[in-house]
Amino acid sequence: MLSTSLLNRLLALSERYDELTALLSEPEIINNQDRFRTLSQEHSRLSDLVHALADYQKTKADLAAATAMSHESDSDLAAMADEEMSVLQTRLESLDEALKLHLLPHDPADDGDVYLEVRAGTGGDEAAIFAGDLLRMYLRYADQRGWRTEILSEQAGEHGGYRDAVAQISGDGVYAALKFESGAHRVQRVPATETQGRVHTSAATVAVMPVVPEAEAITLDPSTLRIDTFRASGAGGQHINKTDSAIRITHLPTGMVVECQDERSQHKNRARALSVLAARLADQERQRIHSEQAATRKALVGSGDRSERIRTYNFPQGRVTDHRINLTLYQLDRTLAGDLNPIIEPLRQTDQADQLMALANGSL
């Protein structure tokens, strides 16, 4: 049963919903597109909570009435009441859990787009090939979800794949789905160049960073940036490598380097590279805050640290293992073809369970 404090929080959110309903009918809000969009999104998120709360309160009242009826002297009425109490109690427990989920803090970044970076780690050429496999896996997953994808920069490996590649993935709820993909991914397989059939282990790192809205982006001091131009190369570069249109930006205080060579316009590449750099710096701060929170509540899905090994793709056994939740699936081909929901959903559920525990303990 919901505690009094949690119920009060739900009632406060219900009042906020009523306030938003009134605000969204005001002309000055309607005429301000950004404000209207922000309030509409908040109103939409609270809608399910309000309906669930109303259902909870009605079910609770019905249960109280059925409980009173169960004490009637008429045995038939009492039996009917007992039966109804059982059904109502089960429904109340279900609504209780649903309402607790609604109380979990909403991350605004969950609704937005991401920059997804895949970088080859240890393993030489095989690591670059694996990085290419991972990038294709995410692009296929995005395609299945109806999201838009665009490769912003790429450094091809000598024998296929990528040493490093950055893609932008756009659509509804992209970050919410992909945010647990950050970390070190490991592959175990026999490389095509291996003559004795030995299994090699290689690695690649994945970084999923929310695209920071222009209005919220940090202001970068030009004196902290070194901007170089160069000729684009690689796939798609045939039309743009005649001029120095590609951009490389180095953030001197952190040593972060961002390249963008997708656009023919140097100006557009510069704007894209600055956007990616802002996202990386914002993500670095998010990682710091998340690590502090994880240390406090011991997050089950890991800290998101880039060095943390999160998943192994074992080709000889056809299995994928996510080490954070001890999940093993023998469907490697389907996973690499973009069928990621059987992994992503358990990760999200584990994170929700962890947050619910923190909520119950009063540490959230």
Side-chain angles (χ1 to χ4, degrees):
M1 196 68 68
L2 288 171
S3 66
T4 302
S5 61
L6 292 183
L7 187 56
N8 286 338
R9 287 169 66 175
L10 287 165
L11 291 171
L13 288 171
S14 181
E15 290 176 4
R16 172 60 177 167
Y17 177 83
D18 292 338
E19 179 187 357
L20 289 168
T21 301
L23 285 172
L24 289 170
S25 64
E26 293 184 3
E28 64 180 271
I29 298 295
I30 295 172
N31 294 329
N32 184 331
Q33 274 195 331
D34 291 338
R35 180 74 171 145
F36 184 81
R37 187 184 305 110
T38 300
L39 294 180
S40 293
Q41 289 174 344
E42 185 183 357
H43 185 267
S44 178
R45 284 196 302 271
L46 290 176
S47 177
D48 287 344
L49 177 151
V50 169
H51 290 117
L53 180 59
D55 200 356
Y56 176 87
Q57 291 173 317
K58 181 180 183 304
T59 303
K60 192 174 179 182
D62 290 345
L63 179 60
T67 301
M69 190 182 295
S70 70
H71 297 117
E72 291 284 343
S73 56
D74 187 318
S75 58
D76 288 339
L77 279 177
M80 286 175 58
D82 286 339
E83 186 176 336
E84 187 177 3
M85 282 171 59
S86 177
V87 173
L88 291 169
Q89 185 62 46
T90 300
R91 178 164 181 73
L92 197 64
E93 290 171 2
S94 176
L95 288 166
D96 182 281
E97 290 304 310
L99 285 169
K100 286 176 182 175
L101 287 176
H102 283 300
L103 280 174
L104 298 182
H106 174 72
D107 185 348
D110 279 353
D111 302 323
D113 307 340
V114 305
Y115 292 123
L116 184 142
E117 180 178 29
V118 180
R119 180 172 295 179
T122 56
D125 292 334
E126 179 63 15
I129 292 171
F130 176 49
D133 292 338
L134 289 176
L135 182 60
R136 280 188 294 275
M137 176 181 75
Y138 291 121
L139 294 180
R140 287 166 178 165
Y141 176 67
D143 185 58
Q144 292 167 16
R145 299 288 297 264
W147 295 335
R148 300 177 303 282
T149 61
E150 184 178 1
I151 304 295
L152 301 185
S153 69
E154 56 188 40
Q155 293 184 33
E158 290 184 18
H159 294 88
Y162 299 101
R163 299 305 308 169
D164 182 86
V166 178
Q168 181 170 352
I169 303 179
S170 307
D172 293 331
V174 178
Y175 185 68
L178 293 177
K179 62 183 175 182
F180 298 123
E181 294 302 300
S182 292
H185 296 240
R186 184 177 67 169
V187 64
Q188 296 172 328
R189 64 182 167 192
V190 180
T193 55
E194 171 57 57
T195 58
Q196 298 182 32
R198 292 174 298 187
V199 174
H200 288 225
T201 298
S202 305
T205 57
V206 173
V208 178
M209 303 164 288
V211 174
V212 181
E214 193 172 334
E216 300 172 18
I218 59 174
T219 302
L220 296 169
D221 182 351
S223 67
T224 66
L225 306 176
R226 186 175 72 239
I227 302 178
D228 302 304
T229 59
F230 62 98
R231 294 193 174 187
S233 61
Q238 57 186 354
H239 298 297
I240 56 177
N241 61 6
K242 296 178 182 177
T243 59
D244 292 341
S245 60
I247 292 288
R248 180 185 298 113
I249 299 180
T250 304
H251 185 244
L252 300 175
T254 61
M256 286 185 185
V257 179
V258 176
E259 292 182 1
C260 191
Q261 53 182 298
D262 183 64
E263 300 285 352
R264 299 186 190 186
S265 160
Q266 186 182 115
H267 176 73
K268 289 182 179 178
N269 279 325
R270 178 190 175 104
R272 280 285 182 81
L274 285 170
S275 178
V276 174
L277 178 58
R280 282 190 184 172
L281 290 169
D283 184 60
Q284 186 180 63
E285 178 63 13
R286 289 173 65 90
Q287 292 292 327
R288 184 189 67 77
I289 294 171
H290 183 75
S291 294
E292 290 178 357
Q293 293 174 340
T296 302
R297 60 184 181 90
K298 299 178 181 177
L300 297 179
V301 293
S303 65
D305 190 321
R306 303 288 180 259
S307 64
E308 179 186 15
R309 187 190 71 185
I310 64 170
R311 194 174 300 148
T312 295
Y313 305 74
N314 185 293
F315 275 71
Q317 297 178 21
R319 67 172 169 83
V320 181
T321 299
D322 195 290
H323 305 287
R324 295 164 294 180
I325 54 175
N326 296 319
L327 173 69
T328 295
L329 301 172
Y330 288 90
Q331 51 185 54
L332 178 62
D333 290 345
R334 286 174 54 188
T335 300
L336 291 175
D339 186 12
L340 288 175
N341 280 337
I343 299 175
I344 287 174
E345 284 308 310
L347 285 166
R348 293 175 70 170
Q349 290 166 9
T350 300
D351 182 57
Q352 285 182 343
D354 182 54
Q355 291 189 67
L356 285 172
M357 189 178 298
L359 184 68
N361 294 333
S363 56
L364 189 65

